[in-house]
Amino acid sequence: MPSLIAPHEKPRVAHPAGNILGEGPLWDETEQALYWVDIKGHQLQCLANGNVRQWSFDEEITSVHRHAEGGFIVTLRHAIARLHLPEGTLEKWLTPEPELPGNRFNDAVVDANGNLWCGTMDDAESHASGSLYRVRPDGDCQRQDSGYIVTNGPVLSPQGDWLYHTDTLERLIYRFAVDEHGNLSGREPFIRIPQDQGCPDGMTTDRDGNLWVCQFGGWRISVFDSQGQLREEIPMPVANITSCTFGGPDLSTLYITTARKGLDNAALAEQPDAGALFAIETQTHGAPTPAFATQA
């Protein structure tokens, strides 16, 4: 089976961000720009035409997606909000878990019907208080699954008929069937990452339905086919690989976020590029990312 990575390609530093917890990369086709967050650094960053802009906030910003009515929809520590750029102003909209102050939002994805799928987690990473939510454009916010310490990587298959969601500390990726109304059913264990390969974190799919899984503490990205079989491993020069997405003019460049979180001084000396934004050229393509509140 041919490699999905372009010949002689290795991950390269696209920006030496030094993020504490880089996450949530979003390729914005309108701007031809890559947005991502540093959750623990309370920052949103944007790489366009070789230049980087950044915005700082008073709390964690954990994911970012385009809003069809302008600006962005973001998840913060406790809230889902509208973000207006370049001003960097926030309008908080929904707070689904006021009874769980120790929780925070983590990863998110938007489906083709404009729904936001977002997970919460225990920020102390000790209690299984995290849940997966579906947020419709009209503000209907429904818990879809629960019992996670750290939720991660909700992502959909190219046809939108499967949703993958990760229980990071259990090293387990679940698969759910998605019907035409955006309802989930049939949760099943789909992929388990071996204990010596770190924990599954953020992920994306390509046009053929392969699942690209970032492995925190695993020094790699693993690519699984639509049946859950390992197809390829991409070695990385840093340990904590957090998330990835396809971008570039033809959506063939894989952008990868990483983290310095959890690394001591010796590990940081060994991994000077920890926390950087990486890129690697592939021989496949992703799909455009839908905007929140658009309808198929």
Side-chain angles (χ1 to χ4, degrees):
M1 187 175 293
S3 173
L4 294 169
I5 301 302
H8 313 299
E9 269 289 307
K10 292 183 178 179
R12 67 182 187 277
V13 173
H15 177 61
N19 292 156
I20 303 169
L21 184 57
E23 269 283 7
L26 167 73
W27 178 255
D28 186 274
E29 287 201 292
T30 303
E31 296 183 30
Q32 291 289 290
L34 193 284
Y35 286 87
W36 76 101
V37 300
D38 180 355
I39 295 177
K40 291 302 182 180
H42 298 190
Q43 286 190 337
L44 171 68
Q45 297 168 314
C46 176
L47 174 65
N49 298 318
N51 299 311
V52 173
R53 294 172 289 164
Q54 61 184 37
W55 296 265
S56 296
F57 301 92
D58 293 333
E59 61 184 299
E60 293 94 332
I61 178 170
T62 74
S63 72
V64 56
H65 288 87
R66 272 287 177 188
H67 197 297
E69 297 174 2
F72 296 82
I73 187 86
V74 300
T75 49
L76 305 172
R77 181 175 181 84
H78 294 137
I80 301 167
R82 289 282 298 275
L83 169 65
H84 301 281
L85 297 181
E87 302 86 356
T89 55
L90 291 166
E91 298 176 42
K92 293 187 179 180
W93 181 39
L94 299 173
T95 306
E97 296 181 341
E99 76 285 4
L100 295 171
N103 272 14
R104 69 164 173 84
F105 275 105
N106 199 32
D107 217 344
V109 70
V110 174
D111 67 23
N113 291 318
N115 301 309
L116 180 73
W117 298 86
C118 48
T120 60
M121 59 172 279
D122 175 26
D123 198 32
E125 299 185 14
S126 60
H127 300 293
S129 56
S131 295
L132 173 67
Y133 291 89
R134 182 195 62 211
V135 182
R136 295 195 187 278
D138 63 3
D140 178 62
C141 180
Q142 298 291 331
R143 181 182 280 114
Q144 300 293 304
D145 198 22
S146 58
Y148 297 82
I149 297 176
V150 178
T151 63
N152 246 312
V155 68
L156 290 122
S157 62
Q159 294 76 29
D161 52 351
W162 297 106
L163 182 138
Y164 306 98
H165 190 230
T166 295
D167 188 332
T168 290
L169 296 189
E170 292 294 327
R171 306 189 314 280
L172 183 61
I173 300 170
Y174 289 104
R175 184 173 72 167
F176 301 77
V178 187
D179 68 18
E180 66 272 19
H181 304 295
N183 298 311
L184 302 184
S185 63
R187 183 178 91 158
E188 60 179 353
F190 187 59
I191 296 165
R192 185 177 290 277
I193 300 298
Q195 190 167 5
D196 62 350
Q197 294 183 13
C199 296
D201 204 309
M203 51 191 174
T204 192
T205 50
D206 62 30
R207 63 181 180 183
D208 298 315
N210 297 306
L211 189 63
W212 299 62
V213 180
C214 297
Q215 290 165 237
F216 194 96
W219 298 83
R220 77 194 74 193
I221 298 169
S222 293
V223 186
F224 298 88
D225 66 20
S226 59
Q227 303 304 309
Q229 298 300 307
L230 180 64
R231 173 166 177 171
E232 189 162 358
E233 290 184 327
I234 304 166
M236 293 289 294
V238 297
N240 295 339
I241 321 304
T242 56
S243 194
C244 61
T245 195
F246 287 96
D250 62 354
L251 299 176
S252 65
T253 301
L254 188 73
Y255 287 98
I256 306 151
T257 53
T258 66
R260 297 167 62 89
K261 178 179 179 285
L263 300 178
D264 60 20
N265 289 336
L268 289 171
E270 179 188 3
Q271 306 168 47
D273 292 325
L277 174 72
F278 288 85
I280 188 169
E281 301 306 317
T282 76
Q283 300 193 106
T284 185
H285 303 269
T289 303
F292 181 69
T294 55
Q295 296 298 321

